[in-house]
Amino acid sequence: MNAILSLWVLGIACVMFLVVLLYMPTIGRYHGKVVEAETRKNSFLIETVHGMRTVKSLALEGSKRRGWDARGATAVRANRNLALVANQPQTILQPLEKLTYSGTLLLGCYMALSTDQAALAGSLVAFTMLASRATQPFVQIAGMLQQVQEVRGAVAQVASIVNIPPEELRSDHGLRPRFQGHISFEDVSFRYPGAQNKALDRVTVDIPRGSVVGVMGRSGSGKTTVTRLLQGLHQDYDGLIKIDGVDLRQMDISHLRSNLGVVLQDNFLFSGTVRENIASARADASFEEVIEAARMAGAEEFIERLPRGYDTYLAEGSTNISGGQRQRIAIARALLINPPILILDEATSALDPDSEAIINANLTRISEGRTMVIISHRLTSLVDCDIIVVMERGRVYDVGTHEELLQRCDIYRHLWFQQNRHQNSGVPNERALSGPDTRD
Ligand SMILES: Nc1ncnc2c1ncn2[C@@H]1O[C@H](COP(=O)(O)OP(=O)(O)OP(=O)(O)O)[C@@H](O)[C@H]1O
Ligand SMILES: [Mg+2]
């Protein structure tokens, strides 16, 4: 309708566009700082609530509160900075928008008055209407810039989790053999992602089916790592791990794990009754089977003394039972699935000598028809093992029976005499049920 007016409107629209474009990365940066500050604040909160017992027993309330205040202040400051910056483009664009309207009117009137074009008055009205329609979206975009960045940040956060490739369970093409329990490690080396040293260095062990194997070694020598590899929790190791001659890498991981019973030093119980917890891996188990598993784990004695027996409700985090009781329920839970391979990683170290003795006494029955790997710092619980593996700095230092190792392995002998010192200096008979804990 009019070239000069069009140029005016388009010129201002270009300026507005540039303003939006220029502010986009700046607002993105400020928004990034907000996300970072909020994440720090929230993870601090979660960590502190999670470690509440430690916070209280170490009297860390004061420093934790100061830490929380500092993080809260940082988050508030970041939010304020973002709001200030996000406000700027809007503040710049609003006068510009007014300028399109009033400028068009001014220019149009001037042209209508100074020339004789009769048509101009009519088109001027149309033009002012159109001009505001053309520039308004820019003002709106500027108002939404903060939201746009929020959406981008949120999508990126979700993507960072959703895009992690899931663990490959090989459930469609993995092998599902019936397990006999012959385990062999051939030249297995492994390094945790990001770690400097190898956690396992050319480990070669052969564990015949049905045997009871003890593993000992200093803290950090790689004992737990061996069991983690056996569960298929890490795939990127060198060498070969075989169960009954089948390469672990070829196996269906869920099949593998449902055939492994694992009890760790620190076990997680779900909130629910004792019975539900013991039967959690096999919901169809009968009550008799649950009781039998509890008996073998030495747990029956205390469960029966609980106010509601097997129907006692375990609170979230199982805070209403002791550490040793939790341990025994975990052992019962592992025994209930009757796994061909059972791994006890420091499983009895939280137990009192009596409960440990019950489990040790039941060990012959527990180990019947399955392969057992027992990791322990208390050598007394390893004495009866068929073979004992001594680990040192990720390597297999020696393998043998208790007598052989006592003869030739210095690490074993050293620990044995350290744990049984009291016997040499007085009480001659009877194996000690618990030596002093020698973990570093
Ligand atoms: N998740 C991990 N990431 C990185 N390094 C790890 C990880 N877990 C263990 N390590 C390292 O691997 C080595 C072996 O650890 P592992 O847990 O197997 O020791 P361990 O013999 O079971 O010790 P402990 O007797 O204390 O349980 C250690 O040096 C440890 O620092
Ligand atoms: Mg360990």
Side-chain angles (χ1 to χ4, degrees):
M1 285 186 279
N2 187 305
I4 296 177
L5 290 184
S6 300
L7 273 179
W8 172 255
V9 172
L10 287 179
I12 291 186
C14 280
V15 174
M16 292 171 108
F17 181 68
L18 273 180
V19 171
V20 170
L21 212 63
L22 283 177
Y23 267 97
M24 196 94 102
T26 316
I27 292 181
R29 212 169 48 239
Y30 276 84
H31 185 257
K33 284 184 190 158
V34 169
V35 172
E36 194 186 311
E38 292 283 348
T39 312
R40 280 194 190 181
K41 191 181 85 177
N42 289 336
S43 53
F44 186 82
L45 176 70
I46 292 170
E47 191 186 61
T48 311
V49 170
H50 212 70
M52 188 53 79
R53 285 186 183 190
T54 313
V55 170
K56 286 195 174 184
S57 60
L58 293 179
L60 296 177
E61 288 97 337
S63 73
K64 287 291 174 192
R65 173 180 288 269
R66 280 194 296 282
W68 167 253
D69 284 347
R71 283 167 181 78
T74 314
V76 169
R77 218 172 289 132
N79 269 307
R80 189 199 56 194
N81 290 344
L82 172 65
L84 284 178
V85 174
N87 215 11
Q88 287 175 12
Q90 249 176 312
T91 317
I92 297 174
L93 291 193
Q94 250 156 14
L96 282 178
E97 195 206 3
K98 292 280 179 287
L99 202 60
T100 30
Y101 178 75
S102 44
T104 323
L105 207 60
L106 195 72
L107 270 177
C109 289
Y110 176 75
M111 283 191 287
L113 291 177
S114 61
T115 59
D116 276 348
Q117 290 172 311
L120 202 63
S123 63
L124 190 59
V125 176
F127 212 96
T128 44
M129 278 164 60
L130 283 177
S132 64
R133 288 286 162 93
T135 48
Q136 235 167 21
F138 288 110
V139 182
Q140 282 167 354
I141 291 179
M144 285 191 334
L145 268 185
Q146 189 178 346
Q147 286 172 29
V148 170
Q149 289 300 344
E150 270 169 28
V151 169
R152 285 176 65 168
V155 168
Q157 265 186 334
V158 171
S160 71
I161 293 169
V162 172
N163 288 347
I164 296 174
E167 191 182 20
E168 211 211 320
L169 294 173
R170 294 188 284 264
S171 46
D172 48 349
H173 58 276
L175 301 175
R176 304 169 71 91
R178 182 179 286 276
F179 281 49
Q180 308 285 332
H182 173 199
I183 306 167
S184 70
F185 278 65
E186 292 170 20
D187 251 354
V188 176
S189 297
F190 175 70
R191 195 193 303 267
Y192 280 101
Q196 296 244 315
N197 298 327
K198 283 184 180 172
L200 291 187
D201 193 4
R202 313 195 58 165
V203 169
T204 302
V205 221
D206 193 72
I207 302 174
R209 63 182 271 206
S211 56
V212 179
V213 182
V215 183
M216 61 84 64
R218 275 191 256 266
S219 196
S221 56
K223 304 180 295 293
T224 301
T225 309
V226 167
T227 67
R228 291 179 65 87
L229 291 190
L230 199 57
Q231 291 172 68
L233 291 170
H234 302 279
Q235 305 285 336
D236 45 350
Y237 56 86
D238 296 324
L240 267 182
I241 302 178
K242 288 182 184 168
I243 298 181
D244 302 327
V246 181
D247 186 356
L248 208 66
R249 291 192 178 96
Q250 313 286 329
M251 261 182 228
D252 180 326
I253 299 284
S254 3
H255 175 72
L256 169 73
R257 290 187 193 151
S258 58
N259 277 285
L260 285 179
V262 183
V263 187
L264 304 173
Q265 185 168 19
D266 190 20
N267 292 286
F268 186 87
L269 298 183
F270 297 94
S271 43
T273 63
V274 171
R275 183 180 167 178
E276 280 166 5
N277 263 291
I278 295 180
S280 56
R282 240 193 73 201
D284 61 329
S286 69
F287 194 35
E288 283 69 36
E289 287 173 304
V290 171
I291 293 178
E292 179 57 25
R295 185 175 300 141
M296 284 219 278
E300 194 187 28
E301 161 267 328
F302 86 85
I303 295 176
E304 281 175 349
R305 277 191 291 111
L306 288 174
R308 301 193 57 203
Y310 284 84
D311 289 325
T312 308
Y313 195 82
L314 301 183
E316 187 183 334
S318 42
T319 41
N320 55 344
I321 54 173
S322 78
Q325 293 171 340
R326 194 184 321 156
Q327 199 66 27
R328 281 179 276 173
I329 293 183
I331 297 175
R333 177 173 68 182
L335 287 176
L336 187 76
I337 56 171
N338 198 13
I341 299 172
L342 182 65
I343 299 169
L344 303 181
D345 187 353
E346 288 290 321
T348 51
S349 51
L351 299 186
D352 62 303
D354 277 345
S355 323
E356 197 184 1
I358 296 180
I359 295 179
N360 282 343
N362 286 343
L363 219 51
T364 338
R365 257 181 71 211
I366 293 177
S367 66
E368 229 165 65
R370 67 179 114 242
T371 307
M372 265 182 72
V373 179
I374 305 174
I375 298 176
S376 182
H377 288 287
R378 295 189 197 170
L379 298 187
T380 43
S381 45
L382 301 184
V383 173
D384 296 326
C385 291
D386 299 324
I387 43 172
I388 300 172
V389 180
V390 182
M391 305 252 339
E392 173 74 1
R393 296 194 189 177
R395 291 168 189 245
V396 174
Y397 189 79
D398 207 341
V399 182
T401 61
H402 168 69
E403 281 75 23
E404 287 167 4
L405 290 176
L406 213 50
Q407 288 285 323
R408 63 168 192 239
C409 178
D410 48 348
I411 296 182
Y412 190 87
R413 190 168 351 119
H414 174 73
L415 198 58
W416 174 260
F417 284 119
Q418 206 173 37
Q419 290 184 5
N420 296 290
R421 242 185 328 220
H422 55 288
Q423 292 192 345
N424 304 337
S425 60
V427 198
N429 56 11
E430 207 176 31
R431 240 173 51 202
L433 278 167
S434 71
D437 210 334
T438 51
R439 259 169 298 144
D440 296 346

